[in-house]
Amino acid sequence: MISSDGIRGYNDMIILHLVLEKPSYGYEISKAIKERTEGAYIIKETTLYSAFTRLEKNGCIQSFYGNETNGKRRTYYRITETGREYYREKCREWELTKKVVEKFTA
Amino acid sequence: MISSDGIRGYNDMIILHLVLEKPSYGYEISKAIKERTEGAYIIKETTLYSAFTRLEKNGCIQSFYGNETNGKRRTYYRITETGREYYREKCREWELTKKVVEKFTA
DNA sequence: TTATCGTACTACGTCTGTCGTAGTACTTAT
DNA sequence: ATAAGTACTACGACAGACGTAGTACGATAA
């Protein structure tokens, strides 16, 4: 499994990548992460929702309510221009981190 | 630059990689990281020394004093069998993390 | 002689992101 | 009626990274 420290710092990127594709909400995103990684990474609910709060505070995403009539009301998030830029920056950082870490692998 | 959260979780791996090559000490390791990454990653002193403490507590490294007669006395660290195993594990985890994060890059 | 630079740490407190635990609320299937 | 699945929210704890500061020694330059 993936440790939280190993992926830490890329949770934001993962979430932004998904809301970049289309506005989404917590449960859907957590499912998407699980499916796309074939179960290798299952984000904790608390981690995900606290990331939403942080990203909205930073102006990276914007929340709005869905209009579904049944079930609990969902909070959807869409990416902002700030979020797009932040995402690109995180991608560049990832490329650099990859090069750095690779130098110290067996 | 590399953010601390991006590399967090791999500091231990980096340090273990270096003491695996040969027993070493703080200052030398910090220099080595800087040089090998061409300045892309400069580990903070406090981060490095607190990692030493942690890794010794975990049984991954063992400290011993150098016998240099001039300058301040150095604390050297050598890797243990536990440390080797932990290093290998971290390398496997890195491979997995890489695959996971890649799926969410642009 | 005095000061500064480089080496080699140690101590202490703060911050952030992650996580454990628990609870709320509504729907559908058994 | 109950459980399972959906969709969150609240609260507190923890660990690793970091800022700041201080200690200690040697070599070199002014």
Side-chain angles (χ1 to χ4, degrees), chain B residues 87-99:
Chain B
Y87 174 71
R88 280 179 224 122
E89 199 191 304
K90 279 284 156 190
C91 286
R92 284 193 296 271
E93 195 189 308
W94 164 250
E95 291 306 320
L96 190 58
T97 301
K98 212 171 36 167
K99 271 182 210 149

Side-chain angles (χ1 to χ4, degrees), chain A residues 25-27 45-46 49 72 74-75:
Chain A
Y25 58 95
Y27 203 76
E45 285 184 42
T46 41
Y49 290 109
K72 209 187 176 189
R74 294 173 187 156
T75 307

Side-chain angles (χ1 to χ4, degrees), chain B residues 44-55:
Chain B
K44 300 288 180 300
E45 286 185 41
T46 40
T47 301
L48 177 59
Y49 290 111
S50 76
F52 280 148
T53 310
R54 189 176 50 251
L55 288 168

Side-chain angles (χ1 to χ4, degrees), chain A residues 57-69:
Chain A
K57 225 171 261 172
N58 296 348
C60 289
I61 54 174
Q62 268 180 349
S63 65
F64 60 99
Y65 290 117
N67 57 355
E68 48 281 327
T69 45

Side-chain angles (χ1 to χ4, degrees), chain A residues 1 31-42, chain B residues 100 103-104:
Chain A
M1 284 304 98
K31 289 274 173 190
I33 293 171
K34 190 183 168 183
E35 277 159 28
R36 294 200 195 185
T37 65
E38 286 142 55
Y41 183 45
I42 297 167
Chain B
V100 164
K103 287 180 205 284
F104 302 96

Side-chain angles (χ1 to χ4, degrees), chain A residues 11-101:
Chain A
N11 276 327
D12 286 2
M13 193 179 101
I14 291 171
I15 294 163
L16 289 174
H17 179 95
L18 291 165
V19 295
L20 190 76
E21 289 180 358
K22 69 168 173 42
S24 188
Y25 58 95
Y27 203 76
E28 194 177 47
I29 287 177
S30 84
K31 289 274 173 190
I33 293 171
K34 190 183 168 183
E35 277 159 28
R36 294 200 195 185
T37 65
E38 286 142 55
Y41 183 45
I42 297 167
I43 197 166
K44 299 289 178 298
E45 285 184 42
T46 41
T47 302
L48 178 58
Y49 290 109
S50 76
F52 280 148
T53 309
R54 183 164 11 91
L55 288 168
E56 187 162 34
K57 225 171 261 172
N58 296 348
C60 289
I61 54 174
Q62 268 180 349
S63 65
F64 60 99
Y65 290 117
N67 57 355
E68 48 281 327
T69 45
N70 58 343
K72 209 187 176 189
R73 190 167 66 164
R74 294 173 187 156
T75 307
Y76 282 82
Y77 293 95
R78 69 166 69 87
I79 198 161
T80 63
E81 194 43 49
T82 305
R84 280 170 209 275
E85 185 43 51
Y86 184 64
Y87 173 70
R88 282 180 223 119
E89 198 190 305
K90 279 284 156 190
C91 286
R92 285 193 295 273
E93 195 189 307
W94 165 251
E95 291 305 320
L96 190 58
T97 301
K98 212 171 35 167
K99 272 183 210 149
V100 164
V101 176

